[in-house]
PDB file of all heavy atoms in Angstrom:
ATOM      1  N   HIS N   1     196.255   9.800 -60.999  1.00  0.00           N
ATOM      2  CA  HIS N   1     196.666  10.172 -59.637  1.00  0.00           C
ATOM      3  C   HIS N   1     195.446  10.562 -58.789  1.00  0.00           C
ATOM      4  O   HIS N   1     195.317  10.146 -57.629  1.00  0.00           O
ATOM      5  CB  HIS N   1     197.657  11.333 -59.712  1.00  0.00           C
ATOM      6  CG  HIS N   1     198.259  11.687 -58.385  1.00  0.00           C
ATOM      7  ND1 HIS N   1     198.739  12.940 -58.101  1.00  0.00           N
ATOM      8  CD2 HIS N   1     198.434  10.969 -57.242  1.00  0.00           C
ATOM      9  CE1 HIS N   1     199.202  12.972 -56.864  1.00  0.00           C
ATOM     10  NE2 HIS N   1     199.025  11.781 -56.325  1.00  0.00           N
ATOM     11  N   THR N   2     194.545  11.328 -59.374  1.00  0.00           N
ATOM     12  CA  THR N   2     193.349  11.754 -58.646  1.00  0.00           C
ATOM     13  C   THR N   2     192.467  10.565 -58.276  1.00  0.00           C
ATOM     14  O   THR N   2     191.975  10.463 -57.147  1.00  0.00           O
ATOM     15  CB  THR N   2     192.549  12.752 -59.503  1.00  0.00           C
ATOM     16  OG1 THR N   2     193.371  13.881 -59.812  1.00  0.00           O
ATOM     17  CG2 THR N   2     191.296  13.223 -58.770  1.00  0.00           C
ATOM     18  N   VAL N   3     192.270   9.655 -59.224  1.00  0.00           N
ATOM     19  CA  VAL N   3     191.441   8.475 -58.961  1.00  0.00           C
ATOM     20  C   VAL N   3     192.072   7.591 -57.898  1.00  0.00           C
ATOM     21  O   VAL N   3     191.386   7.077 -56.993  1.00  0.00           O
ATOM     22  CB  VAL N   3     191.211   7.695 -60.270  1.00  0.00           C
ATOM     23  CG1 VAL N   3     190.516   6.364 -59.982  1.00  0.00           C
ATOM     24  CG2 VAL N   3     190.378   8.520 -61.247  1.00  0.00           C
ATOM     25  N   MET N   4     193.396   7.421 -57.967  1.00  0.00           N
ATOM     26  CA  MET N   4     194.081   6.574 -56.983  1.00  0.00           C
ATOM     27  C   MET N   4     193.973   7.156 -55.578  1.00  0.00           C
ATOM     28  O   MET N   4     193.852   6.408 -54.604  1.00  0.00           O
ATOM     29  CB  MET N   4     195.551   6.405 -57.381  1.00  0.00           C
ATOM     30  CG  MET N   4     195.774   5.520 -58.590  1.00  0.00           C
ATOM     31  SD  MET N   4     197.527   5.394 -59.030  1.00  0.00           S
ATOM     32  CE  MET N   4     198.186   4.613 -57.559  1.00  0.00           C
ATOM     33  N   MET N   5     194.014   8.471 -55.465  1.00  0.00           N
ATOM     34  CA  MET N   5     193.856   9.084 -54.144  1.00  0.00           C
ATOM     35  C   MET N   5     192.417   9.010 -53.653  1.00  0.00           C
ATOM     36  O   MET N   5     192.172   8.993 -52.445  1.00  0.00           O
ATOM     37  CB  MET N   5     194.327  10.542 -54.194  1.00  0.00           C
ATOM     38  CG  MET N   5     195.822  10.717 -54.341  1.00  0.00           C
ATOM     39  SD  MET N   5     196.359  12.430 -54.131  1.00  0.00           S
ATOM     40  CE  MET N   5     195.548  13.221 -55.518  1.00  0.00           C
ATOM     41  N   SER N   6     191.464   8.972 -54.563  1.00  0.00           N
ATOM     42  CA  SER N   6     190.049   8.969 -54.180  1.00  0.00           C
ATOM     43  C   SER N   6     189.557   7.590 -53.766  1.00  0.00           C
ATOM     44  O   SER N   6     188.695   7.481 -52.886  1.00  0.00           O
ATOM     45  CB  SER N   6     189.192   9.475 -55.345  1.00  0.00           C
ATOM     46  OG  SER N   6     189.592  10.752 -55.752  1.00  0.00           O
ATOM     47  N   LEU N   7     190.072   6.539 -54.402  1.00  0.00           N
ATOM     48  CA  LEU N   7     189.509   5.207 -54.221  1.00  0.00           C
ATOM     49  C   LEU N   7     189.562   4.677 -52.784  1.00  0.00           C
ATOM     50  O   LEU N   7     188.562   4.122 -52.314  1.00  0.00           O
ATOM     51  CB  LEU N   7     190.199   4.219 -55.166  1.00  0.00           C
ATOM     52  CG  LEU N   7     189.693   4.224 -56.615  1.00  0.00           C
ATOM     53  CD1 LEU N   7     190.496   3.240 -57.458  1.00  0.00           C
ATOM     54  CD2 LEU N   7     188.215   3.881 -56.667  1.00  0.00           C
ATOM     55  N   PRO N   8     190.699   4.787 -52.055  1.00  0.00           N
ATOM     56  CA  PRO N   8     190.718   4.187 -50.703  1.00  0.00           C
ATOM     57  C   PRO N   8     189.608   4.705 -49.793  1.00  0.00           C
ATOM     58  O   PRO N   8     188.886   3.918 -49.178  1.00  0.00           O
ATOM     59  CB  PRO N   8     192.114   4.574 -50.184  1.00  0.00           C
ATOM     60  CG  PRO N   8     192.943   4.773 -51.402  1.00  0.00           C
ATOM     61  CD  PRO N   8     192.020   5.357 -52.414  1.00  0.00           C
ATOM     62  N   GLY N   9     189.466   6.014 -49.706  1.00  0.00           N
ATOM     63  CA  GLY N   9     188.423   6.562 -48.842  1.00  0.00           C
ATOM     64  C   GLY N   9     187.030   6.259 -49.364  1.00  0.00           C
ATOM     65  O   GLY N   9     186.120   5.936 -48.592  1.00  0.00           O
ATOM     66  N   PHE N  10     186.850   6.347 -50.683  1.00  0.00           N
ATOM     67  CA  PHE N  10     185.534   6.128 -51.266  1.00  0.00           C
ATOM     68  C   PHE N  10     185.081   4.684 -51.060  1.00  0.00           C
ATOM     69  O   PHE N  10     183.939   4.423 -50.663  1.00  0.00           O
ATOM     70  CB  PHE N  10     185.581   6.460 -52.757  1.00  0.00           C
ATOM     71  CG  PHE N  10     184.236   6.496 -53.413  1.00  0.00           C
ATOM     72  CD1 PHE N  10     183.435   7.625 -53.328  1.00  0.00           C
ATOM     73  CD2 PHE N  10     183.748   5.403 -54.093  1.00  0.00           C
ATOM     74  CE1 PHE N  10     182.186   7.662 -53.927  1.00  0.00           C
ATOM     75  CE2 PHE N  10     182.502   5.416 -54.691  1.00  0.00           C
ATOM     76  CZ  PHE N  10     181.721   6.557 -54.606  1.00  0.00           C
ATOM     77  N   LEU N  11     185.970   3.721 -51.331  1.00  0.00           N
ATOM     78  CA  LEU N  11     185.606   2.308 -51.187  1.00  0.00           C
ATOM     79  C   LEU N  11     185.369   1.944 -49.728  1.00  0.00           C
ATOM     80  O   LEU N  11     184.468   1.157 -49.408  1.00  0.00           O
ATOM     81  CB  LEU N  11     186.691   1.424 -51.797  1.00  0.00           C
ATOM     82  CG  LEU N  11     186.859   1.530 -53.323  1.00  0.00           C
ATOM     83  CD1 LEU N  11     188.004   0.649 -53.795  1.00  0.00           C
ATOM     84  CD2 LEU N  11     185.566   1.145 -54.034  1.00  0.00           C
ATOM     85  N   THR N  12     186.186   2.505 -48.822  1.00  0.00           N
ATOM     86  CA  THR N  12     185.994   2.230 -47.396  1.00  0.00           C
ATOM     87  C   THR N  12     184.642   2.754 -46.917  1.00  0.00           C
ATOM     88  O   THR N  12     183.893   2.060 -46.218  1.00  0.00           O
ATOM     89  CB  THR N  12     187.125   2.870 -46.579  1.00  0.00           C
ATOM     90  OG1 THR N  12     188.384   2.358 -47.022  1.00  0.00           O
ATOM     91  CG2 THR N  12     186.953   2.575 -45.102  1.00  0.00           C
ATOM     92  N   LEU N  13     184.331   3.980 -47.303  1.00  0.00           N
ATOM     93  CA  LEU N  13     183.040   4.561 -46.926  1.00  0.00           C
ATOM     94  C   LEU N  13     181.888   3.767 -47.525  1.00  0.00           C
ATOM     95  O   LEU N  13     180.878   3.505 -46.852  1.00  0.00           O
ATOM     96  CB  LEU N  13     182.977   6.015 -47.378  1.00  0.00           C
ATOM     97  CG  LEU N  13     181.664   6.760 -47.131  1.00  0.00           C
ATOM     98  CD1 LEU N  13     181.360   6.829 -45.641  1.00  0.00           C
ATOM     99  CD2 LEU N  13     181.719   8.169 -47.730  1.00  0.00           C
ATOM    100  N   ALA N  14     182.019   3.353 -48.798  1.00  0.00           N
ATOM    101  CA  ALA N  14     180.954   2.598 -49.459  1.00  0.00           C
ATOM    102  C   ALA N  14     180.724   1.258 -48.772  1.00  0.00           C
ATOM    103  O   ALA N  14     179.575   0.845 -48.548  1.00  0.00           O
ATOM    104  CB  ALA N  14     181.296   2.406 -50.925  1.00  0.00           C
ATOM    105  N   ARG N  15     181.806   0.577 -48.431  1.00  0.00           N
ATOM    106  CA  ARG N  15     181.664  -0.738 -47.788  1.00  0.00           C
ATOM    107  C   ARG N  15     180.944  -0.629 -46.455  1.00  0.00           C
ATOM    108  O   ARG N  15     180.017  -1.406 -46.156  1.00  0.00           O
ATOM    109  CB  ARG N  15     183.053  -1.358 -47.584  1.00  0.00           C
ATOM    110  CG  ARG N  15     183.048  -2.689 -46.841  1.00  0.00           C
ATOM    111  CD  ARG N  15     184.442  -3.285 -46.779  1.00  0.00           C
ATOM    112  NE  ARG N  15     185.382  -2.385 -46.142  1.00  0.00           N
ATOM    113  CZ  ARG N  15     185.542  -2.286 -44.821  1.00  0.00           C
ATOM    114  NH1 ARG N  15     184.797  -3.027 -44.000  1.00  0.00           N
ATOM    115  NH2 ARG N  15     186.428  -1.464 -44.306  1.00  0.00           N
ATOM    116  N   LEU N  16     181.334   0.338 -45.627  1.00  0.00           N
ATOM    117  CA  LEU N  16     180.706   0.479 -44.315  1.00  0.00           C
ATOM    118  C   LEU N  16     179.274   1.008 -44.427  1.00  0.00           C
ATOM    119  O   LEU N  16     178.400   0.612 -43.661  1.00  0.00           O
ATOM    120  CB  LEU N  16     181.548   1.415 -43.453  1.00  0.00           C
ATOM    121  CG  LEU N  16     182.915   0.866 -43.046  1.00  0.00           C
ATOM    122  CD1 LEU N  16     183.736   1.926 -42.325  1.00  0.00           C
ATOM    123  CD2 LEU N  16     182.759  -0.361 -42.156  1.00  0.00           C
ATOM    124  N   ALA N  17     179.037   1.908 -45.392  1.00  0.00           N
ATOM    125  CA  ALA N  17     177.692   2.461 -45.545  1.00  0.00           C
ATOM    126  C   ALA N  17     176.694   1.419 -46.024  1.00  0.00           C
ATOM    127  O   ALA N  17     175.507   1.479 -45.682  1.00  0.00           O
ATOM    128  CB  ALA N  17     177.721   3.636 -46.515  1.00  0.00           C
ATOM    129  N   VAL N  18     177.160   0.453 -46.802  1.00  0.00           N
ATOM    130  CA  VAL N  18     176.264  -0.543 -47.377  1.00  0.00           C
ATOM    131  C   VAL N  18     176.103  -1.764 -46.474  1.00  0.00           C
ATOM    132  O   VAL N  18     174.992  -2.283 -46.289  1.00  0.00           O
ATOM    133  CB  VAL N  18     176.765  -0.969 -48.773  1.00  0.00           C
ATOM    134  CG1 VAL N  18     175.922  -2.132 -49.319  1.00  0.00           C
ATOM    135  CG2 VAL N  18     176.723   0.210 -49.738  1.00  0.00           C
ATOM    136  N   PHE N  19     177.200  -2.221 -45.879  1.00  0.00           N
ATOM    137  CA  PHE N  19     177.167  -3.505 -45.181  1.00  0.00           C
ATOM    138  C   PHE N  19     177.149  -3.406 -43.661  1.00  0.00           C
ATOM    139  O   PHE N  19     177.063  -4.433 -42.992  1.00  0.00           O
ATOM    140  CB  PHE N  19     178.379  -4.350 -45.610  1.00  0.00           C
ATOM    141  CG  PHE N  19     178.392  -4.680 -47.077  1.00  0.00           C
ATOM    142  CD1 PHE N  19     179.296  -4.070 -47.930  1.00  0.00           C
ATOM    143  CD2 PHE N  19     177.467  -5.573 -47.613  1.00  0.00           C
ATOM    144  CE1 PHE N  19     179.305  -4.363 -49.289  1.00  0.00           C
ATOM    145  CE2 PHE N  19     177.469  -5.864 -48.965  1.00  0.00           C
ATOM    146  CZ  PHE N  19     178.381  -5.257 -49.810  1.00  0.00           C
ATOM    147  N   SER N  20     177.235  -2.222 -43.088  1.00  0.00           N
ATOM    148  CA  SER N  20     177.192  -2.099 -41.625  1.00  0.00           C
ATOM    149  C   SER N  20     175.782  -2.358 -41.114  1.00  0.00           C
ATOM    150  O   SER N  20     174.798  -2.121 -41.822  1.00  0.00           O
ATOM    151  CB  SER N  20     177.647  -0.704 -41.194  1.00  0.00           C
ATOM    152  OG  SER N  20     178.998  -0.499 -41.512  1.00  0.00           O
ATOM    153  N   PRO N  21     175.644  -2.824 -39.877  1.00  0.00           N
ATOM    154  CA  PRO N  21     174.304  -3.004 -39.297  1.00  0.00           C
ATOM    155  C   PRO N  21     173.630  -1.654 -39.104  1.00  0.00           C
ATOM    156  O   PRO N  21     174.291  -0.617 -39.016  1.00  0.00           O
ATOM    157  CB  PRO N  21     174.590  -3.693 -37.952  1.00  0.00           C
ATOM    158  CG  PRO N  21     176.012  -3.376 -37.644  1.00  0.00           C
ATOM    159  CD  PRO N  21     176.711  -3.263 -38.957  1.00  0.00           C
ATOM    160  N   PRO N  22     172.298  -1.640 -39.037  1.00  0.00           N
ATOM    161  CA  PRO N  22     171.572  -0.373 -38.888  1.00  0.00           C
ATOM    162  C   PRO N  22     172.022   0.409 -37.655  1.00  0.00           C
ATOM    163  O   PRO N  22     172.160  -0.146 -36.570  1.00  0.00           O
ATOM    164  CB  PRO N  22     170.111  -0.821 -38.758  1.00  0.00           C
ATOM    165  CG  PRO N  22     170.062  -2.160 -39.427  1.00  0.00           C
ATOM    166  CD  PRO N  22     171.389  -2.798 -39.145  1.00  0.00           C
ATOM    167  N   SER N  23     172.275   1.697 -37.854  1.00  0.00           N
ATOM    168  CA  SER N  23     172.681   2.572 -36.761  1.00  0.00           C
ATOM    169  C   SER N  23     172.589   4.014 -37.244  1.00  0.00           C
ATOM    170  O   SER N  23     172.424   4.277 -38.445  1.00  0.00           O
ATOM    171  CB  SER N  23     174.111   2.265 -36.298  1.00  0.00           C
ATOM    172  OG  SER N  23     175.036   2.572 -37.320  1.00  0.00           O
ATOM    173  N   ARG N  24     172.723   4.947 -36.304  1.00  0.00           N
ATOM    174  CA  ARG N  24     172.729   6.369 -36.663  1.00  0.00           C
ATOM    175  C   ARG N  24     173.954   6.675 -37.524  1.00  0.00           C
ATOM    176  O   ARG N  24     173.879   7.465 -38.470  1.00  0.00           O
ATOM    177  CB  ARG N  24     172.739   7.211 -35.388  1.00  0.00           C
ATOM    178  CG  ARG N  24     172.891   8.719 -35.634  1.00  0.00           C
ATOM    179  CD  ARG N  24     171.698   9.267 -36.391  1.00  0.00           C
ATOM    180  NE  ARG N  24     171.891  10.660 -36.748  1.00  0.00           N
ATOM    181  CZ  ARG N  24     171.620  11.682 -35.948  1.00  0.00           C
ATOM    182  NH1 ARG N  24     171.170  11.467 -34.735  1.00  0.00           N
ATOM    183  NH2 ARG N  24     171.783  12.921 -36.362  1.00  0.00           N
ATOM    184  N   GLU N  25     175.082   6.047 -37.203  1.00  0.00           N
ATOM    185  CA  GLU N  25     176.296   6.308 -37.978  1.00  0.00           C
ATOM    186  C   GLU N  25     176.155   5.805 -39.406  1.00  0.00           C
ATOM    187  O   GLU N  25     176.654   6.431 -40.339  1.00  0.00           O
ATOM    188  CB  GLU N  25     177.505   5.658 -37.310  1.00  0.00           C
ATOM    189  CG  GLU N  25     178.004   6.433 -36.105  1.00  0.00           C
ATOM    190  CD  GLU N  25     179.414   6.038 -35.725  1.00  0.00           C
ATOM    191  OE1 GLU N  25     179.696   4.821 -35.775  1.00  0.00           O
ATOM    192  OE2 GLU N  25     180.214   6.921 -35.386  1.00  0.00           O
ATOM    193  N   ARG N  26     175.484   4.668 -39.589  1.00  0.00           N
ATOM    194  CA  ARG N  26     175.306   4.171 -40.957  1.00  0.00           C
ATOM    195  C   ARG N  26     174.479   5.161 -41.776  1.00  0.00           C
ATOM    196  O   ARG N  26     174.743   5.365 -42.965  1.00  0.00           O
ATOM    197  CB  ARG N  26     174.632   2.801 -40.956  1.00  0.00           C
ATOM    198  CG  ARG N  26     174.645   2.142 -42.338  1.00  0.00           C
ATOM    199  CD  ARG N  26     173.874   0.843 -42.365  1.00  0.00           C
ATOM    200  NE  ARG N  26     172.430   1.082 -42.252  1.00  0.00           N
ATOM    201  CZ  ARG N  26     171.510   0.143 -42.447  1.00  0.00           C
ATOM    202  NH1 ARG N  26     171.881  -1.095 -42.774  1.00  0.00           N
ATOM    203  NH2 ARG N  26     170.227   0.420 -42.317  1.00  0.00           N
ATOM    204  N   ASP N  27     173.498   5.793 -41.160  1.00  0.00           N
ATOM    205  CA  ASP N  27     172.722   6.813 -41.862  1.00  0.00           C
ATOM    206  C   ASP N  27     173.626   7.981 -42.274  1.00  0.00           C
ATOM    207  O   ASP N  27     173.492   8.523 -43.379  1.00  0.00           O
ATOM    208  CB  ASP N  27     171.582   7.316 -40.974  1.00  0.00           C
ATOM    209  CG  ASP N  27     170.557   6.233 -40.682  1.00  0.00           C
ATOM    210  OD1 ASP N  27     170.489   5.265 -41.459  1.00  0.00           O
ATOM    211  OD2 ASP N  27     169.837   6.358 -39.673  1.00  0.00           O
ATOM    212  N   GLN N  28     174.532   8.371 -41.376  1.00  0.00           N
ATOM    213  CA  GLN N  28     175.483   9.435 -41.708  1.00  0.00           C
ATOM    214  C   GLN N  28     176.367   9.024 -42.878  1.00  0.00           C
ATOM    215  O   GLN N  28     176.591   9.799 -43.810  1.00  0.00           O
ATOM    216  CB  GLN N  28     176.353   9.756 -40.495  1.00  0.00           C
ATOM    217  CG  GLN N  28     175.617  10.406 -39.344  1.00  0.00           C
ATOM    218  CD  GLN N  28     176.555  10.695 -38.191  1.00  0.00           C
ATOM    219  OE1 GLN N  28     177.559  10.018 -37.999  1.00  0.00           O
ATOM    220  NE2 GLN N  28     176.221  11.709 -37.404  1.00  0.00           N
ATOM    221  N   TRP N  29     176.879   7.808 -42.820  1.00  0.00           N
ATOM    222  CA  TRP N  29     177.778   7.338 -43.879  1.00  0.00           C
ATOM    223  C   TRP N  29     177.058   7.256 -45.222  1.00  0.00           C
ATOM    224  O   TRP N  29     177.640   7.582 -46.264  1.00  0.00           O
ATOM    225  CB  TRP N  29     178.351   5.970 -43.499  1.00  0.00           C
ATOM    226  CG  TRP N  29     179.200   6.008 -42.261  1.00  0.00           C
ATOM    227  CD1 TRP N  29     179.806   7.115 -41.723  1.00  0.00           C
ATOM    228  CD2 TRP N  29     179.510   4.920 -41.386  1.00  0.00           C
ATOM    229  NE1 TRP N  29     180.484   6.777 -40.587  1.00  0.00           N
ATOM    230  CE2 TRP N  29     180.326   5.442 -40.346  1.00  0.00           C
ATOM    231  CE3 TRP N  29     179.192   3.564 -41.382  1.00  0.00           C
ATOM    232  CZ2 TRP N  29     180.820   4.634 -39.317  1.00  0.00           C
ATOM    233  CZ3 TRP N  29     179.688   2.763 -40.363  1.00  0.00           C
ATOM    234  CH2 TRP N  29     180.484   3.301 -39.339  1.00  0.00           C
ATOM    235  N   ARG N  30     175.810   6.814 -45.205  1.00  0.00           N
ATOM    236  CA  ARG N  30     175.065   6.720 -46.469  1.00  0.00           C
ATOM    237  C   ARG N  30     174.790   8.105 -47.055  1.00  0.00           C
ATOM    238  O   ARG N  30     174.874   8.285 -48.270  1.00  0.00           O
ATOM    239  CB  ARG N  30     173.758   5.951 -46.236  1.00  0.00           C
ATOM    240  CG  ARG N  30     173.986   4.460 -46.002  1.00  0.00           C
ATOM    241  CD  ARG N  30     172.685   3.683 -45.929  1.00  0.00           C
ATOM    242  NE  ARG N  30     172.939   2.243 -45.899  1.00  0.00           N
ATOM    243  CZ  ARG N  30     172.005   1.311 -45.909  1.00  0.00           C
ATOM    244  NH1 ARG N  30     170.725   1.670 -45.934  1.00  0.00           N
ATOM    245  NH2 ARG N  30     172.327   0.032 -45.884  1.00  0.00           N
ATOM    246  N   ALA N  31     174.461   9.051 -46.193  1.00  0.00           N
ATOM    247  CA  ALA N  31     174.245  10.417 -46.686  1.00  0.00           C
ATOM    248  C   ALA N  31     175.521  10.978 -47.288  1.00  0.00           C
ATOM    249  O   ALA N  31     175.510  11.616 -48.354  1.00  0.00           O
ATOM    250  CB  ALA N  31     173.751  11.303 -45.547  1.00  0.00           C
ATOM    251  N   ALA N  32     176.658  10.740 -46.615  1.00  0.00           N
ATOM    252  CA  ALA N  32     177.940  11.215 -47.142  1.00  0.00           C
ATOM    253  C   ALA N  32     178.307  10.488 -48.428  1.00  0.00           C
ATOM    254  O   ALA N  32     178.874  11.085 -49.359  1.00  0.00           O
ATOM    255  CB  ALA N  32     179.033  11.013 -46.095  1.00  0.00           C
ATOM    256  N   LEU N  33     178.003   9.193 -48.512  1.00  0.00           N
ATOM    257  CA  LEU N  33     178.321   8.419 -49.712  1.00  0.00           C
ATOM    258  C   LEU N  33     177.561   8.945 -50.923  1.00  0.00           C
ATOM    259  O   LEU N  33     178.136   9.118 -52.008  1.00  0.00           O
ATOM    260  CB  LEU N  33     177.996   6.940 -49.477  1.00  0.00           C
ATOM    261  CG  LEU N  33     178.232   6.001 -50.670  1.00  0.00           C
ATOM    262  CD1 LEU N  33     179.708   5.983 -51.045  1.00  0.00           C
ATOM    263  CD2 LEU N  33     177.732   4.598 -50.355  1.00  0.00           C
ATOM    264  N   ILE N  34     176.275   9.222 -50.752  1.00  0.00           N
ATOM    265  CA  ILE N  34     175.483   9.747 -51.871  1.00  0.00           C
ATOM    266  C   ILE N  34     176.031  11.094 -52.330  1.00  0.00           C
ATOM    267  O   ILE N  34     176.184  11.349 -53.531  1.00  0.00           O
ATOM    268  CB  ILE N  34     173.999   9.872 -51.447  1.00  0.00           C
ATOM    269  CG1 ILE N  34     173.400   8.479 -51.197  1.00  0.00           C
ATOM    270  CG2 ILE N  34     173.201  10.616 -52.514  1.00  0.00           C
ATOM    271  CD1 ILE N  34     172.006   8.519 -50.602  1.00  0.00           C
ATOM    272  N   ALA N  35     176.358  11.954 -51.359  1.00  0.00           N
ATOM    273  CA  ALA N  35     176.922  13.266 -51.712  1.00  0.00           C
ATOM    274  C   ALA N  35     178.248  13.106 -52.438  1.00  0.00           C
ATOM    275  O   ALA N  35     178.534  13.814 -53.419  1.00  0.00           O
ATOM    276  CB  ALA N  35     177.098  14.115 -50.456  1.00  0.00           C
ATOM    277  N   ASN N  36     179.075  12.152 -51.999  1.00  0.00           N
ATOM    278  CA  ASN N  36     180.370  11.932 -52.642  1.00  0.00           C
ATOM    279  C   ASN N  36     180.226  11.360 -54.041  1.00  0.00           C
ATOM    280  O   ASN N  36     180.986  11.720 -54.945  1.00  0.00           O
ATOM    281  CB  ASN N  36     181.236  11.007 -51.783  1.00  0.00           C
ATOM    282  CG  ASN N  36     181.962  11.742 -50.684  1.00  0.00           C
ATOM    283  OD1 ASN N  36     183.156  11.998 -50.783  1.00  0.00           O
ATOM    284  ND2 ASN N  36     181.263  12.085 -49.627  1.00  0.00           N
ATOM    285  N   ILE N  37     179.258  10.464 -54.232  1.00  0.00           N
ATOM    286  CA  ILE N  37     179.043   9.896 -55.566  1.00  0.00           C
ATOM    287  C   ILE N  37     178.696  10.998 -56.554  1.00  0.00           C
ATOM    288  O   ILE N  37     179.242  11.059 -57.665  1.00  0.00           O
ATOM    289  CB  ILE N  37     177.920   8.833 -55.519  1.00  0.00           C
ATOM    290  CG1 ILE N  37     178.410   7.575 -54.784  1.00  0.00           C
ATOM    291  CG2 ILE N  37     177.466   8.469 -56.928  1.00  0.00           C
ATOM    292  CD1 ILE N  37     177.322   6.542 -54.576  1.00  0.00           C
ATOM    293  N   VAL N  38     177.816  11.902 -56.142  1.00  0.00           N
ATOM    294  CA  VAL N  38     177.415  13.005 -57.032  1.00  0.00           C
ATOM    295  C   VAL N  38     178.600  13.924 -57.307  1.00  0.00           C
ATOM    296  O   VAL N  38     178.845  14.325 -58.450  1.00  0.00           O
ATOM    297  CB  VAL N  38     176.242  13.783 -56.415  1.00  0.00           C
ATOM    298  CG1 VAL N  38     175.890  14.989 -57.269  1.00  0.00           C
ATOM    299  CG2 VAL N  38     175.022  12.877 -56.260  1.00  0.00           C
ATOM    300  N   THR N  39     179.359  14.270 -56.253  1.00  0.00           N
ATOM    301  CA  THR N  39     180.483  15.190 -56.427  1.00  0.00           C
ATOM    302  C   THR N  39     181.563  14.596 -57.317  1.00  0.00           C
ATOM    303  O   THR N  39     182.059  15.247 -58.245  1.00  0.00           O
ATOM    304  CB  THR N  39     181.077  15.561 -55.059  1.00  0.00           C
ATOM    305  OG1 THR N  39     180.059  16.143 -54.245  1.00  0.00           O
ATOM    306  CG2 THR N  39     182.212  16.557 -55.217  1.00  0.00           C
TER     307      THR N  39
END
């Protein structure tokens, strides 16, 4: 149940953080993605 609730947001954030064009928001998303991976 925990993994199923985590995956939609995590995968969405990962996709945009990795494949979005360079921008200030992409830097924000990548910082949040790294923090989320560790957590």
Side-chain angles (χ1 to χ4, degrees):
H1 187 206
T2 301
V3 172
M4 288 179 63
M5 290 189 296
S6 303
L7 279 178
F10 190 82
L11 294 178
T12 302
L13 177 62
R15 176 175 58 84
L16 292 174
V18 173
F19 298 108
S20 295
S23 66
R24 174 64 186 275
E25 283 198 319
R26 190 185 71 170
D27 295 338
Q28 292 180 332
W29 297 339
R30 288 186 172 184
L33 178 63
I34 294 172
N36 277 257
I37 289 174
V38 176
T39 302

